[in-house]
């Protein structure tokens, strides 16, 4: 599906953005321990994959304005025996990189380039723990910076982060095709849920059906699936997915398959049994705001304006529904604590600058939601959208009929 040109084109684009007299290094992610001698399934750094197509832990990509090298980490005999050795032909074939070095050669190259050039491009590292998300970051980048520091090169650092984000935020036709494949698989899972909807007694039964669809297509979850039934649906990031579902519960299913590392991110709110009265009102309100948000999308609209306009629509709806009884906009976050949109791509919350206008080739989500703690339920509807030359194109097509 993807050949080496896909990746070498990305390298060419990045190379054109590098300053003169510079070189750059970017590292693959490291494996992380799960328990004992067991690692978590490997998840590659998205920037490294974007530039190489390789799922190898702890490799480095080194580039200057003319040449490209791949440096492979040393492996133990045990790894070679149990997991197989590096396949150099395959690595070159996937990535289009022919200069493959071992770790020692890589260090020598970095020293040479450090003498030759004045600037080194690296990914920013300013922390090892992400306070907001509450987790530790992959240590590979931090390690690379330590190694670079130990070489004592007399070069100035510049950051690659924004350069890569500026490229990744605009998707090529091939990238859009990958995202659409991921969406197709995700929608197939919605279809299966719809077929079995009235039989579900527990959230984990939905997850089993979703896994079945994803794994049979050699896909997997791009992010931890959210299957939030009943009162759990008020939590936008609920991922426990093992609680009992009762008749008349709403279930928010927020899932995304991954295809060649590209993510889908879709949410549908299903109803176990028919939906009536206030719940239906809320559902219709979210759906209307979803439709209005999509109607706004076109190149030139600023991301900040989009968020503000949708926020205002939600504020007005809360007044109309008499959920809010005064004009205090600061209360909206109690019912709608997240944004309406984010970039989508190799990362589910993809890189990109939110202080700019929408541009053709951007792929974003539209996901209004309302979460009513007092009433014990929430509704979210999420689609994936490509910004086109004149307006936008919905990439997802699964219907909004609550799955009945
Ligand atoms: Mn999303």
């Amino acid at each position: 599906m993807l050949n080496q040109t896909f990746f070498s084109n990305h390298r060419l684009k990045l190379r054109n953005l590098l300053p003169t007299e510079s070189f750059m290094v970017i590292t693959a992610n490291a494996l992380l321990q799960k328990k004992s001698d067991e690692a978590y399934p490997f998840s590659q750094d998205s920037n490294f994959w974007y530039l190489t197509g390789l799922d190898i832990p702890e490799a480095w990509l080194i580039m200057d304005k003319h040449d490209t090298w791949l440096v492979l980490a040393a492996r133990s005999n045990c790894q070679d025996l149990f997991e197989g050795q590096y396949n150099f032909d395959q690595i070159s074939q996937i990535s289009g990189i022919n200069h493959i070095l071992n770790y020692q050669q890589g260090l020598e190259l970095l020293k040479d380039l450090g003498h030759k050039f004045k600037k080194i491009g690296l990914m920013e590292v300013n922390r090892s723990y992400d306070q907001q998300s509450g987790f530790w970051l992959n240590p590979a980048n931090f390690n690379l910076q330590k190694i670079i520091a130990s070489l004592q090169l007399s070069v100035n650092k510049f950051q690659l982060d924004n350069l890569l984000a500026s490229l990744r935020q605009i998707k090529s036709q091939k990238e859009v095709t990958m995202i659409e494949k991921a969406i197709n698989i995700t929608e197939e899972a919605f279809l299966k849920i719809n077929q079995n909807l009235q039989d579900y007694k527990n959230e984990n039964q939905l997850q089993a059906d979703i896994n079945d669809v994803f794994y049979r297509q050699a896909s997997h979850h791009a992010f931890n699936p959210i299957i939030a039934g009943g009162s759990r649906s008020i939590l936008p990031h609920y991922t426990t997915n093992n609680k009992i579902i009762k008749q008349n519960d709403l279930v928010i299913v927020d899932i995304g398959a991954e295809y060649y590392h590209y993510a889908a991110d879709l949410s549908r709110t299903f109803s176990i049994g028919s939906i009536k009265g206030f719940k239906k009102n809320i559902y219709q309100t979210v759906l209307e705001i979803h439709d209005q948000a999509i109607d706004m999308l076109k190149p030139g609209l600023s991301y900040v304006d989009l968020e503000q306009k949708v926020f205002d629509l939600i504020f007005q709806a809360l007044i109309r529904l008499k959920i809010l009884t005064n004009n205090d906009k600061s209360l909206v976050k109690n019912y709608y604590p997240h944004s309406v949109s984010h970039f989508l791509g190799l990362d589910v919350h993809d890189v990109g600058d939110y202080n700019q206008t929408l541009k053709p080739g951007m792929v974003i989500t539209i996901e209004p939601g309302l979460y009513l703690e007092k009433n014990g339920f929430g509704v979210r509807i999420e689609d994936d959208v490509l910004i086109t030359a004149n307006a936008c194109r919905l990439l997802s097509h699964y219907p909004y009929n609550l799955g009945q």
Side-chain angles (χ1 to χ4, degrees), residues 1 31 46 56 62 64 132 139 141 158 200 214 303 337 341 392:
M1 197 78 189
L31 277 163
S46 293
I56 302 173
I62 303 178
D64 64 16
Q132 194 182 339
N141 201 13
F158 65 95
Y200 291 129
F214 284 13
Y303 227 125
S341 176
C392 73

Side-chain angles (χ1 to χ4, degrees), residues 11 15 23-24 48 52 60-71 97-101 109 113 116-117:
R11 291 197 296 273
R15 173 171 279 132
F23 68 109
M24 56 149 280
F48 185 87
T52 66
W60 296 340
L61 172 71
I62 303 178
M63 293 205 301
D64 64 16
K65 285 292 228 182
H66 301 286
D67 288 306
T68 305
W69 300 266
L70 188 74
V71 179
I97 301 171
N98 297 315
H99 300 307
I100 301 177
L101 310 178
L109 175 67
L113 294 173
K116 200 167 157 193
F117 297 119

Side-chain angles (χ1 to χ4, degrees), residues 254 265 342 348-349 365 367 382:
D254 183 344
D265 183 11
H342 56 81
V348 64
H349 296 158
T365 64
E367 51 178 315
E382 177 176 23

Side-chain angles (χ1 to χ4, degrees), residues 19-306:
T20 51
E21 305 262 336
S22 76
F23 68 109
M24 56 149 280
V25 195
I26 189 166
T27 178
N29 272 340
L31 277 163
L32 297 170
Q33 184 193 27
K34 186 176 177 186
K35 281 182 177 183
S36 171
D37 62 351
E38 173 80 7
Y40 284 106
F42 181 60
S43 181
Q44 185 57 287
D45 175 80
S46 293
N47 286 316
F48 185 87
W49 191 86
Y50 181 78
L51 297 169
T52 66
L54 298 170
D55 279 312
I56 302 173
E58 295 191 82
W60 296 340
L61 172 71
I62 303 178
M63 293 205 301
D64 64 16
K65 285 292 228 182
H66 301 286
D67 288 306
T68 305
W69 300 266
L70 188 74
V71 179
L72 298 178
R75 282 166 67 90
S76 68
N77 291 339
C78 181
Q79 282 178 295
D80 280 351
L81 208 57
F82 282 79
E83 298 157 28
Q85 298 181 356
Y86 286 131
N87 181 335
F88 294 99
D89 288 343
Q90 195 184 47
I91 290 169
S92 289
Q93 204 198 341
I94 292 170
S95 64
I97 301 171
N98 297 315
H99 300 307
I100 301 177
L101 310 178
N102 66 30
Y103 182 71
Q104 280 309 324
Q105 292 169 323
L107 289 182
E108 291 307 316
L109 175 67
L110 288 176
K111 283 184 213 164
D112 289 348
L113 294 173
H115 286 128
K116 200 167 157 193
F117 297 119
K118 296 191 173 67
K119 295 173 208 149
I120 181 170
L122 296 165
M123 293 302 292
E124 185 190 11
V125 182
N126 53 15
R127 65 206 199 287
S128 50
Y129 185 77
D130 187 289
Q131 201 76 43
Q132 194 182 339
S133 310
F135 54 58
W136 295 91
L137 301 178
N138 196 286
N141 201 13
F142 199 62
N143 283 343
L144 172 64
Q145 309 260 354
K146 275 198 290 193
I147 292 164
I148 299 280
S150 74
L151 296 177
Q152 298 184 306
L153 308 175
S154 53
V155 287
N156 292 322
K157 288 183 191 173
F158 65 95
Q159 282 178 20
L160 297 173
D161 303 60
N162 290 342
L163 303 183
L164 276 158
S166 72
L167 296 176
R168 282 176 54 193
Q169 70 183 3
I170 305 292
K171 271 69 182 178
S172 65
Q173 184 50 53
K174 271 222 167 80
E175 290 183 287
V176 173
T177 305
M178 297 299 126
I179 295 171
E180 283 183 298
K181 292 268 188 192
I183 289 170
N184 290 345
I185 298 169
T186 310
E187 294 189 321
E188 205 179 301
F190 282 148
L191 197 64
K192 184 152 185 168
I193 289 171
N194 186 35
Q195 284 162 357
N196 296 336
L197 194 61
Q198 302 309 325
D199 299 331
Y200 291 129
K201 302 281 184 272
N202 192 301
E203 292 157 355
N204 59 23
Q205 295 168 345
L206 283 88
Q207 172 138 8
D209 279 347
I210 298 162
N211 289 355
D212 186 70
V213 171
F214 284 13
Y215 294 171
R216 278 178 198 281
Q217 305 214 41
S219 176
H220 54 261
H221 294 277
F223 56 93
N224 290 330
I226 296 164
I227 302 157
S231 60
R232 281 83 63 200
S233 59
I234 64 169
L235 300 172
H237 280 179
Y238 169 87
T239 53
T240 317
N241 304 350
N242 63 2
K243 300 286 189 296
I244 288 167
I245 295 171
K246 300 190 300 289
Q247 195 62 20
N248 298 325
D249 274 354
L250 293 183
V251 186
I252 293 180
V253 180
D254 183 344
I255 54 173
E258 193 174 290
Y259 192 82
Y260 278 84
H261 289 234
Y262 285 89
D265 183 11
L266 300 177
S267 303
R268 289 294 181 269
T269 303
F270 293 92
S271 175
I272 310 292
S274 62
I275 183 170
K276 298 189 278 286
F278 183 64
K279 265 187 191 166
K280 190 163 189 181
N281 252 340
I282 297 295
Y283 185 88
Q284 288 300 340
T285 301
V286 173
L287 184 55
E288 279 165 25
I289 293 169
H290 161 277
D291 292 349
Q292 286 171 293
I294 287 174
D295 284 344
M296 292 175 202
L297 300 178
K298 59 177 183 201
L301 173 68
S302 91
Y303 227 125
V304 174
D305 281 354
L306 169 65

Side-chain angles (χ1 to χ4, degrees), residues 302-344:
S302 91
Y303 227 125
V304 174
D305 281 354
L306 169 65
E307 291 293 348
Q308 188 57 50
K309 283 178 176 168
V310 172
F311 181 91
D312 288 342
L313 287 174
I314 288 180
F315 173 65
Q316 287 153 16
L318 289 169
I319 298 276
R320 202 168 56 237
L321 290 159
K322 298 190 170 40
I323 295 168
L324 276 186
T325 49
N326 63 44
N327 275 341
D328 185 355
K329 284 191 174 181
S330 72
L331 298 175
V332 171
K333 68 174 184 304
N334 297 338
Y335 306 96
Y336 168 63
H338 56 75
S339 311
V340 76
S341 176
H342 56 81
F343 289 111
L344 178 71

